[in-house]
Amino acid sequence: MPMTLQEYNTQELRQELEEMNRVEIAEYLTNASKEERLIAIALIDKADLADAFAYMDPDLRADLLESVSGPEALEIFNEMDSDEAVDTLQELPSNMVIRLLADLPPRRRELMNKILRYPENSVGSLMNVDYVNMRADTSTEEALRLVRQSRAGAEHLQDIFITSQERELIGVVHLADLIRHDEDTITSLINWSPVTIGTRDKPMEAAELFTEYRLLALPVHDSENKLVGVVTADDIYPLIQEEVHDEYARSQGIREDEEDIDYLDTSAFSLVRQRIGWLLILMIGATFTGWVIQSYEDVLEASVVLAAYIPMLMDSGGNAGSQSSTSLIRALALGEVTVSDYLVVMFKELRVGVIVGVVMALVNLARIMLMDGVSLQVGLTVSVTLVLTIMMAKFVGGGLPLLAEKFNLDPAVMVGPLITTVVDTFALLIYFKAAQLLLGL
């Protein structure tokens, strides 16, 4: 990180900024004071600055553009990829947006306006319109010339799109193949089965295609199947990360509006209102376990040592169920399983439960006999309960996400609390029934 402007002269600061990559430049500008930012912006190459904008908060991007002169802002804006430029426009005041758009070259202004018209939660709003396309009979020399002349970023040049005379996508050529193979034309290098997505499709649909086909770039077509843009991995992976974060937050009973506000800026009352619902549900669910314990007080009174193993049985069951539910929620999100796979999933989880339960029970029985000094009957009671609890937990953990999907509920929201309630309650029922049968209580 550079030192402050008071510690560095301009020449030294310029040299250190030139040695930074785009991520480091973005980090420096994020942490710098307003005065330091203005001087740094004047020293940084505008193409490097535009690349760094992709790693900044949208509000900071807007602040930086507002703080520089009109010509400087336009120069930076012209160097930005179209998708980042559109994101930045949406954060700027309307008068500055009008001024920037008015000064853009006509073709780029037309493309910006087109992307701005797409719904926010659509692939069209994410796509970049900087890409290279050509006809199938293009010579290799001409193809390389078009790539060299393109203003698209490196991530948008990994694939070259082959279009028909009507601009319909018919194939893809990988840049690496174009460079490696010495062919007169690109025809033999074309992949004639490209994966595409529509401008009106949801971003998470694009994320599924990136994951399934291990893509780095995904061409985007309009309602007439004409090529209009490209979405790249750096556009999609933040969405996947955000979705994983959101699902985890929902599974913990945290509402989306709480995630979007800084913790210190949220009032205590707001936090209470957002969290109390799930806490009440969990509290009510816990009363079932209390009811089971009260119903079998005579069993506990006859063999007090049984109470010592209740936490271990409940925790083991909860952990086993959470493992299965997490795996199934992920598989559902990635399209690896569907509701129609219910019986297959249940059979698989049951087999996993038997194996895991037996291994854990044998280890636990040895530990009990060696360390706790209880009778063999008590050890067998705990171990048999452990096997049955793990099997039940795996069955419940695997089935609840599919059940939620069947009824169009969010598995991440409902599965966690239900697993806790169901597994704890049934673990105790199994335990006390096993004690009655094996200990004769």
Side-chain angles (χ1 to χ4, degrees), residues 337-372:
V337 299
T338 63
V339 176
S340 61
D341 299 316
Y342 184 83
L343 293 179
V344 176
V345 171
M346 290 297 93
F347 184 56
K348 181 184 287 289
E349 289 298 327
L350 196 57
R351 283 179 293 164
V352 172
V354 170
I355 297 171
V356 171
V358 168
V359 171
M360 291 181 66
L362 290 175
V363 173
N364 187 63
L365 180 61
R367 183 193 67 80
I368 289 176
M369 300 308 298
L370 290 174
M371 300 177 62
D372 294 353

Side-chain angles (χ1 to χ4, degrees), residues 211 247 324-337 401:
T211 303
E247 286 202 359
S324 295
S325 66
T326 301
S327 298
L328 262 296
I329 290 173
R330 176 184 177 277
L332 283 168
L334 296 177
E336 296 174 354
V337 299

Side-chain angles (χ1 to χ4, degrees), residues 306-320 360-361 364 367-368 378-379 381-390 392-393 423-424 426-428 430-432 434:
L306 292 176
Y309 300 104
I310 290 177
M312 181 272 295
L313 292 170
M314 293 171 64
D315 288 347
S316 297
N319 292 337
M360 291 181 66
N364 187 63
R367 183 193 67 80
I368 289 176
V378 171
T381 298
V382 175
S383 299
V384 168
T385 301
L386 187 57
V387 173
L388 296 176
T389 297
I390 297 297
M392 177 269 299
V423 171
D424 287 356
F426 280 91
L428 289 174
I430 294 170
Y431 189 33
F432 292 129

Side-chain angles (χ1 to χ4, degrees), residues 212-281:
E212 181 177 355
Y213 293 96
R214 300 181 183 276
L215 300 174
L216 294 175
L218 178 63
V220 182
H221 62 80
D222 62 13
S223 58
E224 298 177 346
N225 286 324
K226 298 183 186 300
L227 180 67
V228 292
V230 59
V231 176
T232 56
D234 63 339
D235 300 318
I236 290 299
Y237 289 151
L239 295 178
I240 298 176
Q241 183 181 23
E242 183 180 348
E243 180 67 15
V244 171
H245 169 76
D246 289 346
E247 286 202 359
Y248 176 76
R250 289 195 298 270
S251 71
Q252 302 302 309
I254 299 174
R255 288 171 23 174
E256 291 185 12
D257 53 354
E258 180 179 346
E259 299 175 71
D260 296 335
I261 303 174
D262 289 342
Y263 176 81
L264 293 178
D265 294 335
T266 307
S267 68
F269 179 76
S270 295
L271 292 177
V272 171
R273 180 173 53 84
Q274 292 160 359
R275 299 177 182 181
I276 192 65
W278 281 115
L279 292 175
L280 288 173
I281 291 173

Side-chain angles (χ1 to χ4, degrees), residues 100-406:
L100 279 174
L101 289 176
D103 292 336
L104 287 175
R107 174 61 178 161
R108 187 161 173 80
R109 180 169 63 249
E110 179 186 346
L111 293 172
M112 294 293 101
N113 282 322
K114 186 174 182 179
I115 297 176
L116 285 168
R117 286 197 294 268
Y118 287 113
E120 183 177 354
N121 190 30
S122 70
V123 171
S125 67
L126 289 177
M127 72 178 182
N128 196 302
V129 294
D130 301 320
Y131 58 88
V132 175
N133 69 294
M134 57 190 67
R135 299 288 295 279
D137 57 355
T138 304
S139 68
T140 300
E141 183 180 350
E142 175 66 9
L144 289 171
R145 186 185 68 80
L146 291 172
V147 170
R148 293 190 192 101
Q149 291 180 346
S150 173
R151 69 180 303 279
E155 66 273 21
H156 303 123
L157 293 175
Q158 299 181 74
D159 289 333
I160 299 164
F161 303 117
I162 311 304
T163 54
S164 66
Q165 189 171 356
E166 292 75 27
R167 247 184 52 242
E168 294 179 345
L169 182 68
I170 58 176
V172 174
V173 172
H174 301 306
L175 180 59
D177 292 338
L178 183 64
I179 295 172
R180 278 197 298 252
H181 295 85
D182 186 17
E183 304 285 345
D184 291 333
T185 68
I186 63 173
T187 306
S188 62
L189 306 177
I190 298 174
N191 170 12
W192 297 99
S193 302
V195 180
T196 66
I197 194 166
T199 54
R200 301 285 176 174
D201 291 332
K202 300 294 185 184
M204 286 312 297
E205 295 178 46
E208 291 174 6
L209 291 176
F210 269 88
T211 303
E212 181 177 355
Y213 293 96
R214 300 181 183 276
L215 300 174
L216 294 175
L218 178 63
V220 182
H221 62 80
D222 62 13
S223 58
E224 298 177 346
N225 286 324
K226 298 183 186 300
L227 180 67
V228 292
V230 59
V231 176
T232 56
D234 63 339
D235 300 318
I236 290 299
Y237 289 151
L239 295 178
I240 298 176
Q241 183 181 23
E242 183 180 348
E243 180 67 15
V244 171
H245 169 76
D246 289 346
E247 286 202 359
Y248 176 76
R250 289 195 298 270
S251 71
Q252 302 302 309
I254 299 174
R255 288 171 23 174
E256 291 185 12
D257 53 354
E258 180 179 346
E259 299 175 71
D260 296 335
I261 303 174
D262 289 342
Y263 176 81
L264 293 178
D265 294 335
T266 307
S267 68
F269 179 76
S270 295
L271 292 177
V272 171
R273 180 173 53 84
Q274 292 160 359
R275 299 177 182 181
I276 192 65
W278 281 115
L279 292 175
L280 288 173
I281 291 173
L282 292 172
M283 180 191 72
I284 294 171
T287 61
F288 288 102
T289 59
W291 172 78
V292 173
I293 291 174
Q294 289 177 352
S295 300
Y296 288 91
E297 281 183 351
D298 54 336
V299 175
L300 285 175
E301 289 175 358
S303 182
V304 179
V305 71
L306 292 176
Y309 300 104
I310 290 177
M312 181 272 295
L313 292 170
M314 293 171 64
D315 288 347
S316 297
N319 292 337
S322 295
Q323 279 185 338
S324 295
S325 66
T326 301
S327 298
L328 262 296
I329 290 173
R330 176 184 177 277
L332 283 168
L334 296 177
E336 296 174 354
V337 299
T338 63
V339 176
S340 61
D341 299 316
Y342 184 83
L343 293 179
V344 176
V345 171
M346 290 297 93
F347 184 56
K348 181 184 287 289
E349 289 298 327
L350 196 57
R351 283 179 293 164
V352 172
V354 170
I355 297 171
V356 171
V358 168
V359 171
M360 291 181 66
L362 290 175
V363 173
N364 187 63
L365 180 61
R367 183 193 67 80
I368 289 176
M369 300 308 298
L370 290 174
M371 300 177 62
D372 294 353
V374 298
S375 65
L376 179 61
Q377 290 90 335
V378 171
L380 287 174
T381 298
V382 175
S383 299
V384 168
T385 301
L386 187 57
V387 173
L388 296 176
T389 297
I390 297 297
M391 289 171 59
M392 177 269 299
K394 291 290 185 184
F395 194 83
V396 172
L400 280 179
L402 294 174
L403 191 64
E405 187 77 8
K406 171 71 174 177

